Amino acid sequence: MVYPQHHRQIVEELMTGKFILTNEEHFGSLKENEGFYQEFFKLSFDLDLHLKNEYAYLLSRETQENFSRDVSIFIAIMSYELDKDGRNFMEALEFNEFTLEEVDRYFDNSSFIDLIESNKALRDPDSRRTLINGMHRRNIVHKNFEDRFSFTQAHKLFVEFAKELAMKRITAREVEV
């Protein structure tokens, strides 16, 4: 059987939880063969391929992984703290570089300290570095230097998730009233 160009790389990266970004050469092959890959991942692994304009990822309906939850909480706290600091968090996540020291300062002084301390991936600087390294391996952040990183377009998935969750809570409150 003849597979599309970059097939092995596409499959290996997506199956390890990595986002494929639009600026990567194999994103084009994935996009050109979207129908094939939709069917391939569904039939082979019962996974859903999500192909956005800026990134692609796989989603399983049956998962117990906590990484996405931890990333969502990390981005939510960063967004809240950036906003509290008077910065447009959407612009900051999209265009700014962050230092590990800056992240630690936001988390150490956060009003969500109970949530942070109860989460193994967020509770201390070493744990947060491990989470950031995991985000780097999955293309959610790009490490510019050892102590600096910026978010890739993949962060938008987690922002969208938070937005949907907030809308559900608002709708639920309106129904209660």
Side-chain angles (χ1 to χ4, degrees):
M1 177 170 203
V2 177
Y3 292 103
Q5 187 177 15
H6 305 290
H7 177 73
R8 183 183 195 122
Q9 183 179 13
I10 290 168
V11 172
E12 285 176 355
E13 288 185 7
L14 289 172
M15 290 299 292
T16 58
K18 191 171 184 177
F19 286 77
I20 296 179
L21 306 175
T22 189
N23 64 340
E24 296 175 300
E25 182 182 4
H26 52 298
F27 183 87
S29 180
L30 178 61
K31 190 168 184 134
E32 288 170 16
N33 298 286
E34 181 177 1
F36 167 80
Y37 282 110
Q38 292 282 356
E39 185 176 354
F40 174 82
F41 285 111
K42 190 61 167 172
L43 293 175
S44 300
F45 307 103
D46 196 26
L47 298 172
D48 296 320
L49 172 66
H50 291 264
L51 187 60
K52 306 293 184 182
N53 287 334
E54 299 169 317
Y55 55 87
Y57 64 98
L58 291 177
L59 188 63
S60 171
R61 291 193 178 107
E62 299 176 23
T63 182
Q64 296 297 324
E65 65 93 19
N66 293 323
F67 183 77
S68 295
R69 178 204 63 199
D70 295 339
V71 171
S72 296
I73 295 169
F74 178 88
I75 291 175
I77 291 172
M78 282 293 295
S79 298
Y80 179 82
E81 296 302 328
L82 288 164
D83 186 62
K84 193 171 84 175
D85 206 20
R87 296 169 67 182
N88 180 321
F89 72 89
M90 292 296 287
E91 286 182 9
L93 293 177
E94 181 126 5
F95 302 112
N96 286 21
E97 178 180 76
F98 297 93
T99 65
L100 298 177
E101 181 180 316
E102 178 182 17
V103 169
D104 290 340
R105 194 170 48 254
Y106 279 133
F107 277 76
D108 292 343
N109 297 312
S110 177
S111 56
F112 293 100
I113 196 67
D114 291 341
L115 174 63
I116 293 166
E117 289 177 349
S118 69
N119 184 301
K120 292 178 186 175
L122 302 173
R123 68 171 55 145
D124 58 58
D126 289 337
S127 299
R128 289 189 289 269
R129 279 158 187 62
T130 300
L131 180 65
I132 291 167
N133 286 335
M135 288 191 288
H136 173 67
R137 282 190 302 279
R138 289 170 179 85
N139 268 350
I140 301 166
V141 301
H142 174 73
K143 289 185 79 175
N144 304 326
F145 298 99
E146 190 57 36
D147 67 335
R148 297 173 185 266
F149 68 93
S150 53
F151 286 93
T152 69
Q153 297 304 312
H155 84 277
K156 292 178 180 181
L157 172 67
F158 300 95
V159 172
E160 280 299 314
F161 173 74
K163 182 179 173 182
E164 288 175 23
L165 183 61
M167 294 306 290
K168 285 179 185 177
R169 287 191 177 178
I170 289 170
T171 303
R173 282 191 209 140
E174 291 173 353
V175 170
E176 290 175 3
V177 175

